[in-house]
Amino acid sequence: MTRSLRRDLYAAGAAALLVTAAVLVGRPRTRTLLVNWPPLLASWDPHVGPGTPAAVLLAVATVAYGPALAIRLPWRTLLPLAWATSLAWILSLALIDGWHRGIARRLTTRYEYLQVIDRFDDIPATLRTFTDHILLTSPDHWPAHIAGHPPAATLTFVLLDRLGLRGGGWAGMWCIVVGATACVAVLVTVRALADETLARRAAPFLVLAPAAVWMGTSADAYFAAVAAWAVALLALAVTRGSLWCAGASGLLLGLTCYLSYGLTLVALIAATVLALARPGIRARPALLIPLLAGLAVVPALFTLAGFDWWEAYRLLVTRYRQGAGGIRPYGYWVWANLACTVLITGLATAAALRRTGAVLVRREGGTHSGTRLALLVTAALSALLIADLSGMSKAETERIWLPFAVWLLPACAFLTRPRAWLLAQAVLALLLNHLLRTGW
């Protein structure tokens, strides 16, 4: 065993110990933590379901053939295959709980978006009065997830309903199908900013991520995809000099901020993309014009409609303290949230982050492309840590931090023995979905 591999195992072991500590410390405190199986919002319930055979077969096939196919396939074939495999992995894991509980019911519970579809009959009027219903003490206050997000999140499901795609099944499949594209966006970004070899090595880990347990079915999977494509289009814009990509990136970055308040931190990842592609911007500074113009579109539309983002966020902070956020102890969650991150990104990512740090300090011979990838991953990790320290994410981060988690997974391109690490990722996801009932 090489010294580098031994250090990888130490990093993975430390991550496993963090999760163990979060479980052992949290179990006697479920009443104050407000979760049944700390650090996850889940309950212990060993089970199998209709998705079990497909999930197991898909995991075995991806571990056995994924790394080799990712290296050999033409790039234009690899991207749709990665999306299809990611989609199949998310779906099969969700169907372990069955269609109704795993997909169709997830977005219809009392906390979720589909509960308020009928309150958006007059969209402009609803947007003008949206902030009047955020606080728990306000009349007809919004359910938790509606109050906790800007209205673009809820409007997505309102528009699906208007198009005739009504009910939890359509909403759930929207989140799964769109969410599965996040892996493609990350691959496109890594190829554009680092190199194709690293993107290919990262592909199986993006496909077989334990995060898939929560991407089916969660609106945060949809948010993750929108944010990922905003970054991917920005990377294409600055490396190819595309004005259209710049405008589209700005548009999606603006939308991202109106899907989730916390996703303003994606600006750190976007800023890193701009820093890594400085020559492209200097060669064509006009790219900033469509980028900024696109960025202004969604905020301008919502502001003209009468929605005040800053006022809504101020009220949300109060609402958060009125509810679970005011009860859950910061002293536990500030580190237990990181244990949740281990569970959604896997032990392979813990080892890969160690290698990321080693590349940045030049201790393991990182290449120029490797350094660029390491900086991109570090930006995502920094955004996640800021979110953690803010205290606005206490529990449920296995869902809430999906948009950041997808950017940690490419670090696995630095790992040796990819099949062994992929197996660890697959086993973790299968155990989580078969032993626990996740929910929010």
Side-chain angles (χ1 to χ4, degrees), residues 81-249:
L81 180 62
W83 171 75
T85 309
S86 177
L87 175 61
W89 178 236
I90 297 169
L91 266 175
S92 60
L93 289 173
L95 290 173
I96 291 170
D97 293 335
W99 167 259
H100 180 69
R101 186 165 188 170
I103 297 176
R105 203 185 77 176
R106 290 287 181 130
L107 296 172
T108 65
T109 65
R110 63 192 180 102
Y111 300 114
E112 287 286 0
Y113 303 97
L114 268 63
Q115 287 290 318
V116 299
I117 296 294
D118 58 348
R119 292 176 61 177
F120 278 75
D121 287 339
D122 186 340
I123 292 176
T126 305
L127 292 178
R128 285 194 299 271
T129 61
F130 189 88
T131 56
D132 296 340
H133 306 289
I134 291 177
L135 297 179
L136 280 174
T137 53
S138 62
D140 298 321
H141 62 262
W142 297 118
H145 288 184
I146 292 82
H149 294 82
T154 309
L155 275 177
T156 298
F157 300 103
V158 171
L159 294 176
L160 285 175
D161 184 81
R162 296 271 178 95
L163 290 170
L165 306 179
R166 299 182 177 89
W170 283 111
M173 287 304 300
W174 166 266
C175 293
I176 289 173
V177 172
V178 175
T181 68
C183 75
V184 179
V186 175
L187 289 176
V188 168
T189 306
V190 173
R191 182 179 187 245
L193 294 177
D195 65 28
E196 187 172 314
T197 300
L198 287 171
R200 287 175 177 276
R201 293 183 64 177
F205 291 94
L206 283 158
V207 165
L208 212 60
V213 172
W214 290 274
M215 293 187 83
T217 305
S218 163
D220 293 87
Y222 157 52
F223 304 161
V226 173
W229 280 110
V231 174
L233 288 168
L234 181 60
L236 291 176
V238 295
T239 55
R240 297 183 179 179
S242 170
L243 296 174
W244 288 106
C245 286
S249 173

Side-chain angles (χ1 to χ4, degrees), residues 297-374:
V297 170
V298 173
L301 289 175
F302 276 96
T303 301
L304 289 173
F307 173 73
D308 187 333
W309 192 97
W310 294 102
E311 174 67 7
Y313 180 72
R314 184 187 67 80
L315 292 170
L316 169 62
V317 173
T318 302
R319 165 72 180 260
Y320 189 64
R321 292 169 181 164
Q322 288 176 331
I327 300 171
R328 288 170 172 159
Y330 180 85
Y332 173 81
W333 287 110
V334 73
W335 60 273
N337 282 339
L338 302 180
C340 292
T341 305
V342 172
L343 291 172
I344 61 176
T345 59
L347 296 179
T349 304
L353 289 176
R354 184 210 67 83
R355 290 201 176 224
T356 300
V359 167
L360 290 177
V361 298
R362 309 294 187 186
R363 288 192 306 199
E364 291 191 4
T367 63
H368 176 68
S369 297
T371 300
R372 294 167 72 84
L373 175 57

